[in-house]
Every structure is written in structure tokens, then in C-alpha cells.
Amino acid sequence: MEKPLEKCLDEIAHSTGVSGVLCADHKGLCLGVRGKASSASSGTVAALAERVASLEPGSLDPVILLESDNSAT
Amino acid sequence: MGCCCSTEEENLSQDGEVNERTRLLNDPVSNNYQVTANSNDYGNHYPTSATKKSDDHSVLNQILQHTASSIIDVGALECHTLEQREYIERVRTYNQRVNAIPQVKTPSKRHHEVQLLYDTPATERVLSAQPISLADFNMMITASQKVVAAVSQIRVEHKEDLVVPFGIP
């Protein structure tokens, strides 16, 4: 039953401009990873998303943009 | 320092030079007092020459004088903008004074630990950077919706009973 998820992740990884995909649940468990993303960062990503979502309670799921000197993720 | 409850004395600039501590507005209380003293003087000089019309005129003039002296025209105040070289000079002076203070090192932090807060020098450059493009944003939203739909299909399938009778006679 994980086939739809795998298919979805493959689709996203192959779209233009995407270098990696990481899917994690709300507790930080890595459900799937493609491309440049690593499964070790699932906990960090989940915690970051939870914190950002609490900035504006009640609003839609946030989109987080991380900028560094080399690139923007 | 100057604040409402400060006990330090106010160090106004000694030589009349305009700096960050000069008052922008004149003291309104002392101005009012001066105006009423002056109008009393004018009234005493000409006690008998007033007809009704000049009485009205003098009252009108007094009102006008009082208003003109107590009005605070903020727009016409002296412009305190700093020139570029004076600004740079002040930045250098303040940096020298800050660096002259011995830095207090927190003894509990080890060297290799990253501190949570640190100074970001060019904040306006960081804050005015381009936000995420609309196409990327929409792509993120649709991708995450698809993934949520796919994850919701993962569920427990009931294949056989959990409790199995062994048939012990």
C-alpha cells in the first residue's frame, strides 16, 4: 500500500527544478526520500515545520524557504 | 541618560552646537509666562485712549500674539539631517568607543558551540531579497497535497483475527 506514495515521490523528484524530496510524518519518521535529500534530516525538517506552523496558528500549512549564500532551498 | 525618571543631570551642549541632545521644541511653560507679562505692560501704557473699536483691535492683537507665540510649527524647525561625512565620522567614533570597552566573555560557552544569537550586519540586504516565486510556491502546495493523499492510503488491513483459538479440549 505504499505504492501510491512511492509513485508520488518519484513524480515530484522528476519535475523540473527539484533536486531532492523528503517525506516525513509529524513525529519526524522518514517515509520516503529521493535525490539529494538524506533521511537523517527528517527529524530536523519535521521539527522546523512544526515550529513554523505555530507562528501563525490556524493558517494553512507553511512553505519554508531556506536561503544560504550558495543556493536557496 | 535622559528619560522620564532619570536621576542624572541633563548635560545640554555647552557651546550651543546642535547634537543629538539639543531640544527640538522650546519650553512651552516659560513662553506663556513671558507673553502675559508683555501684554500687561502694553495695557498700562495707554489706559484712556481706547475707543470700543481699538479695544477690540487690541484684544484681537493680544489673542494673535498669544497664539503666534504658543504655536509650535514642527515643520519649520531646524532640519537636523546629518551630512554623509559627519555620519561616517560618528560611526567611526562610536565603533572606537565600543571596541574600547573590554569584552565580557561568557565562561560557560565552549569555543566550538554555535551561539543561538549573533549579529547580522546587512539586515536590509537580507530582508529585501526576492521571495519565493509563485510557480515554485504552487508546485510545493500541489506536491504536498498529492503526498498527503498518498500517505492517507497507508492503513491497517485486517487480514485475520488477532485472537486464534487453539482448540484445546
Side-chain angles (χ1 to χ4, degrees):
Chain A
M1 69 186 78
E2 68 277 5
K3 284 207 182 52
L5 176 62
E6 301 288 325
K7 194 162 84 76
C8 198
L9 291 181
D10 286 330
E11 261 177 41
I12 298 169
H14 287 123
S15 13
T16 53
V18 176
S19 56
V21 185
L22 169 74
C23 180
D25 78 342
H26 63 283
K27 295 276 195 203
L29 170 71
C30 177
L31 298 172
V33 65
R34 299 282 184 277
K36 268 175 94 171
S38 88
S39 59
S41 53
S42 61
T44 313
V45 168
L48 189 63
E50 190 190 324
R51 285 277 187 272
V52 169
S54 65
L55 279 178
E56 284 187 18
S59 69
L60 298 173
D61 297 334
V63 175
I64 306 172
L65 176 67
L66 301 171
E67 292 181 352
S68 74
D69 293 332
N70 305 331
S71 64
T73 308
Chain B
M1 293 291 168
C3 66
C4 292
C5 314
S6 168
T7 54
E8 281 195 19
E9 286 177 8
E10 214 178 71
N11 294 328
L12 298 176
S13 81
Q14 299 299 325
D15 44 3
E17 162 195 316
V18 171
N19 61 359
E20 60 270 12
R21 295 199 188 282
T22 47
R23 283 179 182 272
L24 286 175
L25 302 175
N26 293 327
D27 195 4
V29 175
S30 60
N31 271 354
N32 283 343
Y33 182 71
Q34 286 167 9
V35 166
T36 51
N38 285 340
S39 60
N40 283 339
D41 286 342
Y42 293 147
N44 288 335
H45 285 314
Y46 308 102
T48 55
S49 63
T51 61
K52 185 111 180 20
K53 209 164 178 192
S54 57
D55 265 346
D56 287 341
H57 268 297
S58 64
V59 170
L60 175 65
N61 283 338
Q62 280 180 25
I63 293 173
L64 285 177
Q65 277 175 9
H66 179 75
T67 312
S69 59
S70 52
I71 200 168
I72 301 175
D73 189 0
V74 178
L77 287 175
E78 190 185 320
C79 193
H80 290 296
T81 52
L82 290 176
E83 292 177 23
Q84 180 68 10
R85 49 188 164 81
E86 198 179 332
Y87 175 80
I88 294 170
E89 181 65 37
R90 284 197 192 186
V91 164
R92 200 170 345 123
T93 313
Y94 295 157
N95 277 333
Q96 278 174 2
R97 289 196 195 164
V98 164
N99 292 334
I101 301 169
Q103 289 189 5
V104 178
K105 293 208 189 294
T106 54
S108 57
K109 282 279 176 198
R110 288 168 297 202
H111 258 300
H112 59 270
E113 273 187 19
V114 175
Q115 307 235 337
L116 190 60
L117 292 180
Y118 56 90
D119 186 31
T120 308
T123 44
E124 57 274 357
R125 191 161 56 93
V126 170
L127 291 173
S128 60
Q130 283 287 333
I132 188 173
S133 73
L134 198 56
D136 285 343
F137 183 77
N138 289 335
M139 189 264 288
M140 285 289 294
I141 298 279
T142 47
S144 53
Q145 282 170 350
K146 282 189 215 161
V147 167
V148 164
V151 165
S152 67
Q153 296 188 18
I154 297 176
R155 61 175 81 84
V156 177
E157 277 183 7
H158 180 88
K159 289 255 166 61
E160 51 189 29
D161 287 343
L162 192 59
V163 179
V164 178
F166 279 120
I168 297 171

